[in-house]
Amino acid sequence: KDFKVSVYWETHRDTAAHMLQLTVDDLSYVVERYGKSKAFLKVDGKPVIFAYGRVVHQTPVALWPEIVEQVRARAGDFALIADGYQTSYSYLFDGLHTYDPAGLSPDVGNNMTVENLGKLRAWATNHYGNGVKQARQRGRIACVMVMPGGDARKAYKVKEQTDRLDGQTYRALWDEALKANPDWVFITSW
């Protein structure tokens, strides 16, 4: 019932010579196959696709304008939201977000305690505020992501874990996200 879906594009199929063509093929497929669905998330009638940091970093910055131009010529207009608050992304993409707020602050996120909530709030105030400001300066969609906590230790054999603290982690990030006044707030968790 009025639930919208999108694609969170994580990685390339090829990181070498065929990157440009395969990237154009993949994005075109999503826009052509799913972009017209009433259930697909749209902004100003354009389907919205999110690009995870891995795929953004795998692609040379100089290729992005050509990728977007070719996809639009082939499949139609779409909005591409990049993972990262880098200045160059605010010129290249239609919006900005970051995927894992607690992971971006490992000194707090991986050591989440009630005592560290103040540090998490201070980090989120700065991070979210800067991200929203950067996106707005270029007329881009400003997004922030909140999380109730997460545990990636078994999924990825890493030490990344953010304690939920009975909802306090989630509440703290939501409070700071709302203060930053983004266009969209995302929720992520493991």
Side-chain angles (χ1 to χ4, degrees):
K1 303 246 179 189
D2 203 29
F3 192 80
K4 303 297 179 192
V5 296
S6 183
V7 170
Y8 202 92
W9 177 34
E10 290 203 25
T11 188
H12 285 294
R13 292 186 285 156
D14 184 13
T15 58
H18 302 101
M19 181 184 291
L20 176 65
Q21 190 56 51
L22 290 173
T23 301
V24 170
D25 290 347
D26 288 348
L27 286 172
S28 295
Y29 175 80
V30 171
V31 173
E32 290 170 335
R33 176 74 172 91
Y34 303 106
K36 292 178 180 58
S37 169
K38 291 188 324 187
F40 205 90
L41 177 65
K42 295 179 184 70
V43 63
D44 297 329
K46 299 182 285 188
V48 178
I49 299 171
F50 299 90
Y52 184 53
R54 185 179 304 119
V55 78
V56 173
H57 297 302
Q58 286 176 332
T59 308
V61 172
L63 286 182
W64 282 112
E66 187 174 353
I67 290 166
V68 171
E69 182 180 319
Q70 284 189 32
V71 173
R72 286 183 174 148
R74 180 168 151 186
D77 206 1
F78 69 105
L80 189 59
I81 312 294
D83 179 5
Y85 292 147
Q86 285 80 358
T87 302
S88 61
Y89 296 177
S90 68
Y91 288 95
L92 297 170
F93 298 96
D94 299 294
L96 305 175
H97 81 288
T98 53
Y99 176 74
D100 180 358
L104 293 170
S105 178
D107 59 317
V108 176
N110 290 332
N111 300 302
M112 186 53 61
T113 62
V114 173
E115 293 77 25
N116 278 342
L117 279 172
K119 290 180 184 178
L120 180 65
R121 282 183 181 278
W123 173 87
T125 297
N126 183 55
H127 183 69
Y128 293 161
N130 288 338
V132 169
K133 179 180 176 184
Q134 188 174 51
R136 294 246 165 84
Q137 286 175 335
R138 303 277 175 258
R140 306 302 188 204
I141 299 168
C143 310
V144 299
M145 189 159 306
V146 300
M147 64 184 298
D151 190 344
R153 293 175 297 176
K154 290 182 181 178
Y156 296 110
K157 307 291 187 239
V158 297
K159 294 181 181 181
E160 189 171 314
Q161 176 193 14
T162 302
D163 197 301
R164 291 171 175 6
L165 299 176
D166 293 322
Q168 291 182 75
T169 300
Y170 192 48
R171 193 169 14 265
L173 289 172
W174 260 109
D175 289 346
E176 300 314 314
L178 293 175
K179 287 177 192 174
N181 195 28
D183 298 306
W184 297 344
V185 177
F186 304 154
I187 302 170
T188 187
S189 185
W190 286 95

